[in-house]
Amino acid sequence: MRILLIGGNGFIGSPLTRELLEGGHATAILHRGGDRAAQHANVRYIHADRNNLSACGSEVREFAPDVVIDLILSSGEQARQLMEFARGITPRVVALSSQDVYRAWGVLKRIEPGEVEPLPITEKSPLRSTRHLYAPEALRALQGIFGWVNEAYDKIAVEQFIMSTPHVAGTVLRLPMIYGVGDRLNRFFPLLKRIADGRRVILLAEDFAAWRAPRGYVDNVAHAIALAALDDRAGGRIYNICEEPCLPELEWQKRIARQINWTGEFVVLPVSRTPAHLRFPENAAQHIVVSSDSIRKELGYRDIVDLDEGIRRTVAWEQAHPPATLDPQQFDYAAEDQARAGAA
């Protein structure tokens, strides 16, 4: 097949491109240019701004993609432009969305009224009624990490355009929290730094220790995207992607610590005795336990990298690539020692 990736040079795009090439598929990447463009000798690179797709229409038509995969959609307007561009160019579009579209995420963020959402969350679970999930300052922080995020970020609007455009079959993939080689969020860093600093006791607030959330190793997520792109049965479908089971945070951190043979102790404290910088700011009563049964049963998806191997690879990368800046208040060891002594 002939596959066009929009924004294919990044965290998810790199393993996705590798898998497509290994499968013998002709692959093109539409991007704004940059040094990373030379990393795949067998990829065709199309330099363009994703907000001005019409400027590269003739080059994309010449490539004649069977499927377009858009990895960097942020707003409904971008999705509208994409689907308008796709008509007459490709029969199918695969768009990456987020599990933050679900009402449960709004309950977690305390912006959605009502009771906690029942679990597990499936593709038929209700979506948020509150469209703006992130506060402006949080959105600005995301923009500093992910250049494709814009002020109109709204994955619900993205999905609506992808799934409702005539003559182009849309597929939406709702992604979890993704870890792995190249993770610019450095999700493992707070734990790895404490271990590197010689901390023998690591504290977790009781509610956070029990909280469950969906995760996925980047190569596994890329594999799911490839499956959906290469299988016509995915046309018109929405799929959740995540590991199963969704582990509680305490078990997750223990799995990470086990990979570096840490022999210290995790201590769970009541929220009232937990230092302020370690308290979970969200509504921990709302767990985000997501079912990925649909893509596993319909398309035969499975994790190609097992959990411990994915963690091992991520730990090695994060140890070699710590964040450039850190918030020292996040590592108030004096407060942690005092809380630990009070609990003894």
PDB file of all heavy atoms in Angstrom, residues 28-52:
ATOM      1  N   ALA A  28       5.253   8.028   2.581  1.00  0.00           N
ATOM      2  CA  ALA A  28       5.624   9.436   2.435  1.00  0.00           C
ATOM      3  C   ALA A  28       5.291  10.160   3.733  1.00  0.00           C
ATOM      4  O   ALA A  28       4.342   9.795   4.433  1.00  0.00           O
ATOM      5  CB  ALA A  28       4.888  10.078   1.264  1.00  0.00           C
ATOM      6  N   ILE A  29       6.077  11.176   4.049  1.00  0.00           N
ATOM      7  CA  ILE A  29       5.850  11.983   5.254  1.00  0.00           C
ATOM      8  C   ILE A  29       5.706  13.438   4.837  1.00  0.00           C
ATOM      9  O   ILE A  29       6.600  14.002   4.192  1.00  0.00           O
ATOM     10  CB  ILE A  29       6.995  11.832   6.267  1.00  0.00           C
ATOM     11  CG1 ILE A  29       7.024  10.409   6.821  1.00  0.00           C
ATOM     12  CG2 ILE A  29       6.843  12.839   7.407  1.00  0.00           C
ATOM     13  CD1 ILE A  29       8.168  10.155   7.806  1.00  0.00           C
ATOM     14  N   LEU A  30       4.577  14.024   5.197  1.00  0.00           N
ATOM     15  CA  LEU A  30       4.343  15.449   4.976  1.00  0.00           C
ATOM     16  C   LEU A  30       4.740  16.179   6.248  1.00  0.00           C
ATOM     17  O   LEU A  30       4.194  15.913   7.327  1.00  0.00           O
ATOM     18  CB  LEU A  30       2.879  15.695   4.616  1.00  0.00           C
ATOM     19  CG  LEU A  30       2.481  17.101   4.167  1.00  0.00           C
ATOM     20  CD1 LEU A  30       1.234  17.032   3.284  1.00  0.00           C
ATOM     21  CD2 LEU A  30       2.210  18.036   5.344  1.00  0.00           C
ATOM     22  N   HIS A  31       5.688  17.083   6.146  1.00  0.00           N
ATOM     23  CA  HIS A  31       6.182  17.791   7.331  1.00  0.00           C
ATOM     24  C   HIS A  31       6.749  19.134   6.914  1.00  0.00           C
ATOM     25  O   HIS A  31       6.850  19.450   5.720  1.00  0.00           O
ATOM     26  CB  HIS A  31       7.247  16.946   8.047  1.00  0.00           C
ATOM     27  CG  HIS A  31       8.536  16.851   7.290  1.00  0.00           C
ATOM     28  ND1 HIS A  31       9.762  17.125   7.837  1.00  0.00           N
ATOM     29  CD2 HIS A  31       8.777  16.529   5.991  1.00  0.00           C
ATOM     30  CE1 HIS A  31      10.709  16.974   6.926  1.00  0.00           C
ATOM     31  NE2 HIS A  31      10.133  16.597   5.806  1.00  0.00           N
ATOM     32  N   ARG A  32       7.112  19.931   7.930  1.00  0.00           N
ATOM     33  CA  ARG A  32       7.583  21.293   7.668  1.00  0.00           C
ATOM     34  C   ARG A  32       9.074  21.356   7.344  1.00  0.00           C
ATOM     35  O   ARG A  32       9.617  22.425   7.106  1.00  0.00           O
ATOM     36  CB  ARG A  32       7.292  22.187   8.883  1.00  0.00           C
ATOM     37  CG  ARG A  32       5.809  22.451   9.090  1.00  0.00           C
ATOM     38  CD  ARG A  32       5.582  23.293  10.320  1.00  0.00           C
ATOM     39  NE  ARG A  32       6.024  22.594  11.525  1.00  0.00           N
ATOM     40  CZ  ARG A  32       5.938  23.121  12.750  1.00  0.00           C
ATOM     41  NH1 ARG A  32       5.470  24.351  12.909  1.00  0.00           N
ATOM     42  NH2 ARG A  32       6.337  22.429  13.792  1.00  0.00           N
ATOM     43  N   GLY A  33       9.745  20.228   7.352  1.00  0.00           N
ATOM     44  CA  GLY A  33      11.173  20.215   7.080  1.00  0.00           C
ATOM     45  C   GLY A  33      11.967  20.130   8.367  1.00  0.00           C
ATOM     46  O   GLY A  33      11.423  20.184   9.470  1.00  0.00           O
ATOM     47  N   GLY A  34      13.272  19.962   8.254  1.00  0.00           N
ATOM     48  CA  GLY A  34      14.117  19.859   9.433  1.00  0.00           C
ATOM     49  C   GLY A  34      15.164  18.787   9.256  1.00  0.00           C
ATOM     50  O   GLY A  34      15.160  18.014   8.300  1.00  0.00           O
ATOM     51  N   ASP A  35      16.064  18.713  10.203  1.00  0.00           N
ATOM     52  CA  ASP A  35      17.204  17.806  10.105  1.00  0.00           C
ATOM     53  C   ASP A  35      16.802  16.338  10.113  1.00  0.00           C
ATOM     54  O   ASP A  35      17.502  15.493   9.586  1.00  0.00           O
ATOM     55  CB  ASP A  35      18.185  18.060  11.255  1.00  0.00           C
ATOM     56  CG  ASP A  35      18.812  19.440  11.150  1.00  0.00           C
ATOM     57  OD1 ASP A  35      18.804  20.003  10.039  1.00  0.00           O
ATOM     58  OD2 ASP A  35      19.293  19.943  12.183  1.00  0.00           O
ATOM     59  N   ARG A  36      15.673  16.017  10.770  1.00  0.00           N
ATOM     60  CA  ARG A  36      15.304  14.607  10.910  1.00  0.00           C
ATOM     61  C   ARG A  36      14.831  13.994   9.605  1.00  0.00           C
ATOM     62  O   ARG A  36      14.619  12.796   9.504  1.00  0.00           O
ATOM     63  CB  ARG A  36      14.232  14.453  11.987  1.00  0.00           C
ATOM     64  CG  ARG A  36      14.757  14.701  13.390  1.00  0.00           C
ATOM     65  CD  ARG A  36      13.653  14.593  14.415  1.00  0.00           C
ATOM     66  NE  ARG A  36      12.659  15.633  14.223  1.00  0.00           N
ATOM     67  CZ  ARG A  36      11.580  15.791  14.990  1.00  0.00           C
ATOM     68  NH1 ARG A  36      11.369  14.942  15.980  1.00  0.00           N
ATOM     69  NH2 ARG A  36      10.725  16.767  14.785  1.00  0.00           N
ATOM     70  N   ALA A  37      14.655  14.804   8.571  1.00  0.00           N
ATOM     71  CA  ALA A  37      14.100  14.295   7.320  1.00  0.00           C
ATOM     72  C   ALA A  37      14.981  13.257   6.647  1.00  0.00           C
ATOM     73  O   ALA A  37      14.526  12.517   5.796  1.00  0.00           O
ATOM     74  CB  ALA A  37      13.841  15.453   6.356  1.00  0.00           C
ATOM     75  N   ALA A  38      16.250  13.182   7.025  1.00  0.00           N
ATOM     76  CA  ALA A  38      17.157  12.247   6.355  1.00  0.00           C
ATOM     77  C   ALA A  38      17.240  10.892   7.037  1.00  0.00           C
ATOM     78  O   ALA A  38      18.000  10.033   6.620  1.00  0.00           O
ATOM     79  CB  ALA A  38      18.551  12.864   6.282  1.00  0.00           C
ATOM     80  N   GLN A  39      16.428  10.662   8.070  1.00  0.00           N
ATOM     81  CA  GLN A  39      16.612   9.443   8.844  1.00  0.00           C
ATOM     82  C   GLN A  39      16.122   8.190   8.123  1.00  0.00           C
ATOM     83  O   GLN A  39      16.561   7.091   8.434  1.00  0.00           O
ATOM     84  CB  GLN A  39      15.925   9.561  10.205  1.00  0.00           C
ATOM     85  CG  GLN A  39      14.413   9.688  10.156  1.00  0.00           C
ATOM     86  CD  GLN A  39      13.814   9.854  11.541  1.00  0.00           C
ATOM     87  OE1 GLN A  39      14.510   9.748  12.534  1.00  0.00           O
ATOM     88  NE2 GLN A  39      12.533  10.126  11.596  1.00  0.00           N
ATOM     89  N   HIS A  40      15.216   8.306   7.154  1.00  0.00           N
ATOM     90  CA  HIS A  40      14.711   7.149   6.416  1.00  0.00           C
ATOM     91  C   HIS A  40      15.003   7.334   4.923  1.00  0.00           C
ATOM     92  O   HIS A  40      14.354   8.142   4.253  1.00  0.00           O
ATOM     93  CB  HIS A  40      13.205   6.972   6.619  1.00  0.00           C
ATOM     94  CG  HIS A  40      12.828   6.613   8.024  1.00  0.00           C
ATOM     95  ND1 HIS A  40      13.201   5.425   8.618  1.00  0.00           N
ATOM     96  CD2 HIS A  40      12.100   7.278   8.952  1.00  0.00           C
ATOM     97  CE1 HIS A  40      12.719   5.376   9.847  1.00  0.00           C
ATOM     98  NE2 HIS A  40      12.063   6.486  10.068  1.00  0.00           N
ATOM     99  N   ALA A  41      15.946   6.567   4.420  1.00  0.00           N
ATOM    100  CA  ALA A  41      16.347   6.729   3.020  1.00  0.00           C
ATOM    101  C   ALA A  41      15.228   6.358   2.057  1.00  0.00           C
ATOM    102  O   ALA A  41      15.179   6.862   0.931  1.00  0.00           O
ATOM    103  CB  ALA A  41      17.589   5.877   2.742  1.00  0.00           C
ATOM    104  N   ASN A  42      14.310   5.470   2.472  1.00  0.00           N
ATOM    105  CA  ASN A  42      13.280   4.979   1.563  1.00  0.00           C
ATOM    106  C   ASN A  42      11.946   5.704   1.707  1.00  0.00           C
ATOM    107  O   ASN A  42      10.937   5.253   1.172  1.00  0.00           O
ATOM    108  CB  ASN A  42      13.065   3.480   1.794  1.00  0.00           C
ATOM    109  CG  ASN A  42      14.303   2.672   1.458  1.00  0.00           C
ATOM    110  OD1 ASN A  42      15.006   2.987   0.504  1.00  0.00           O
ATOM    111  ND2 ASN A  42      14.580   1.647   2.251  1.00  0.00           N
ATOM    112  N   VAL A  43      11.958   6.819   2.425  1.00  0.00           N
ATOM    113  CA  VAL A  43      10.737   7.598   2.606  1.00  0.00           C
ATOM    114  C   VAL A  43      10.737   8.792   1.664  1.00  0.00           C
ATOM    115  O   VAL A  43      11.758   9.447   1.461  1.00  0.00           O
ATOM    116  CB  VAL A  43      10.623   8.084   4.067  1.00  0.00           C
ATOM    117  CG1 VAL A  43       9.493   9.091   4.224  1.00  0.00           C
ATOM    118  CG2 VAL A  43      10.390   6.901   4.998  1.00  0.00           C
ATOM    119  N   ARG A  44       9.585   9.069   1.091  1.00  0.00           N
ATOM    120  CA  ARG A  44       9.429  10.292   0.296  1.00  0.00           C
ATOM    121  C   ARG A  44       8.984  11.412   1.231  1.00  0.00           C
ATOM    122  O   ARG A  44       8.013  11.253   1.978  1.00  0.00           O
ATOM    123  CB  ARG A  44       8.392  10.078  -0.798  1.00  0.00           C
ATOM    124  CG  ARG A  44       8.117  11.338  -1.626  1.00  0.00           C
ATOM    125  CD  ARG A  44       7.247  11.029  -2.824  1.00  0.00           C
ATOM    126  NE  ARG A  44       6.982  12.215  -3.611  1.00  0.00           N
ATOM    127  CZ  ARG A  44       6.362  12.196  -4.786  1.00  0.00           C
ATOM    128  NH1 ARG A  44       5.961  11.034  -5.300  1.00  0.00           N
ATOM    129  NH2 ARG A  44       6.156  13.310  -5.448  1.00  0.00           N
ATOM    130  N   TYR A  45       9.676  12.528   1.206  1.00  0.00           N
ATOM    131  CA  TYR A  45       9.359  13.652   2.077  1.00  0.00           C
ATOM    132  C   TYR A  45       8.706  14.765   1.278  1.00  0.00           C
ATOM    133  O   TYR A  45       9.202  15.178   0.217  1.00  0.00           O
ATOM    134  CB  TYR A  45      10.617  14.166   2.789  1.00  0.00           C
ATOM    135  CG  TYR A  45      11.081  13.202   3.857  1.00  0.00           C
ATOM    136  CD1 TYR A  45      12.004  12.209   3.553  1.00  0.00           C
ATOM    137  CD2 TYR A  45      10.554  13.262   5.135  1.00  0.00           C
ATOM    138  CE1 TYR A  45      12.407  11.303   4.513  1.00  0.00           C
ATOM    139  CE2 TYR A  45      10.956  12.359   6.107  1.00  0.00           C
ATOM    140  CZ  TYR A  45      11.880  11.377   5.789  1.00  0.00           C
ATOM    141  OH  TYR A  45      12.260  10.472   6.738  1.00  0.00           O
ATOM    142  N   ILE A  46       7.576  15.234   1.786  1.00  0.00           N
ATOM    143  CA  ILE A  46       6.829  16.318   1.169  1.00  0.00           C
ATOM    144  C   ILE A  46       6.831  17.477   2.146  1.00  0.00           C
ATOM    145  O   ILE A  46       6.252  17.372   3.238  1.00  0.00           O
ATOM    146  CB  ILE A  46       5.387  15.887   0.830  1.00  0.00           C
ATOM    147  CG1 ILE A  46       5.398  14.699  -0.141  1.00  0.00           C
ATOM    148  CG2 ILE A  46       4.593  17.058   0.268  1.00  0.00           C
ATOM    149  CD1 ILE A  46       4.026  14.091  -0.389  1.00  0.00           C
ATOM    150  N   HIS A  47       7.472  18.563   1.805  1.00  0.00           N
ATOM    151  CA  HIS A  47       7.578  19.706   2.704  1.00  0.00           C
ATOM    152  C   HIS A  47       6.355  20.598   2.531  1.00  0.00           C
ATOM    153  O   HIS A  47       6.089  21.114   1.442  1.00  0.00           O
ATOM    154  CB  HIS A  47       8.850  20.500   2.420  1.00  0.00           C
ATOM    155  CG  HIS A  47      10.103  19.749   2.765  1.00  0.00           C
ATOM    156  ND1 HIS A  47      11.360  20.281   2.592  1.00  0.00           N
ATOM    157  CD2 HIS A  47      10.292  18.513   3.287  1.00  0.00           C
ATOM    158  CE1 HIS A  47      12.265  19.399   2.991  1.00  0.00           C
ATOM    159  NE2 HIS A  47      11.637  18.315   3.407  1.00  0.00           N
ATOM    160  N   ALA A  48       5.606  20.771   3.621  1.00  0.00           N
ATOM    161  CA  ALA A  48       4.402  21.599   3.576  1.00  0.00           C
ATOM    162  C   ALA A  48       3.952  21.902   4.999  1.00  0.00           C
ATOM    163  O   ALA A  48       4.316  21.195   5.942  1.00  0.00           O
ATOM    164  CB  ALA A  48       3.282  20.886   2.815  1.00  0.00           C
ATOM    165  N   ASP A  49       3.149  22.921   5.122  1.00  0.00           N
ATOM    166  CA  ASP A  49       2.517  23.269   6.402  1.00  0.00           C
ATOM    167  C   ASP A  49       1.182  22.555   6.463  1.00  0.00           C
ATOM    168  O   ASP A  49       0.374  22.689   5.535  1.00  0.00           O
ATOM    169  CB  ASP A  49       2.331  24.781   6.476  1.00  0.00           C
ATOM    170  CG  ASP A  49       1.759  25.256   7.806  1.00  0.00           C
ATOM    171  OD1 ASP A  49       1.222  24.423   8.574  1.00  0.00           O
ATOM    172  OD2 ASP A  49       1.848  26.469   8.066  1.00  0.00           O
ATOM    173  N   ARG A  50       0.939  21.825   7.531  1.00  0.00           N
ATOM    174  CA  ARG A  50      -0.330  21.092   7.601  1.00  0.00           C
ATOM    175  C   ARG A  50      -1.530  22.029   7.640  1.00  0.00           C
ATOM    176  O   ARG A  50      -2.658  21.609   7.372  1.00  0.00           O
ATOM    177  CB  ARG A  50      -0.356  20.145   8.800  1.00  0.00           C
ATOM    178  CG  ARG A  50      -0.362  20.764  10.161  1.00  0.00           C
ATOM    179  CD  ARG A  50      -1.676  20.665  10.973  1.00  0.00           C
ATOM    180  NE  ARG A  50      -2.808  20.211  10.242  1.00  0.00           N
ATOM    181  CZ  ARG A  50      -3.188  18.928  10.122  1.00  0.00           C
ATOM    182  NH1 ARG A  50      -2.538  17.992  10.733  1.00  0.00           N
ATOM    183  NH2 ARG A  50      -4.237  18.605   9.421  1.00  0.00           N
ATOM    184  N   ASN A  51      -1.311  23.301   7.946  1.00  0.00           N
ATOM    185  CA  ASN A  51      -2.402  24.266   7.908  1.00  0.00           C
ATOM    186  C   ASN A  51      -2.601  24.874   6.517  1.00  0.00           C
ATOM    187  O   ASN A  51      -3.444  25.751   6.335  1.00  0.00           O
ATOM    188  CB  ASN A  51      -2.145  25.381   8.932  1.00  0.00           C
ATOM    189  CG  ASN A  51      -2.210  24.863  10.361  1.00  0.00           C
ATOM    190  OD1 ASN A  51      -3.177  24.222  10.755  1.00  0.00           O
ATOM    191  ND2 ASN A  51      -1.167  25.124  11.130  1.00  0.00           N
ATOM    192  N   ASN A  52      -1.821  24.408   5.543  1.00  0.00           N
ATOM    193  CA  ASN A  52      -1.969  24.861   4.156  1.00  0.00           C
ATOM    194  C   ASN A  52      -1.756  23.664   3.230  1.00  0.00           C
ATOM    195  O   ASN A  52      -0.847  23.653   2.394  1.00  0.00           O
ATOM    196  CB  ASN A  52      -0.975  25.985   3.848  1.00  0.00           C
ATOM    197  CG  ASN A  52      -1.184  26.594   2.474  1.00  0.00           C
ATOM    198  OD1 ASN A  52      -2.275  26.479   1.886  1.00  0.00           O
ATOM    199  ND2 ASN A  52      -0.147  27.220   1.940  1.00  0.00           N
TER     200      ASN A  52
END
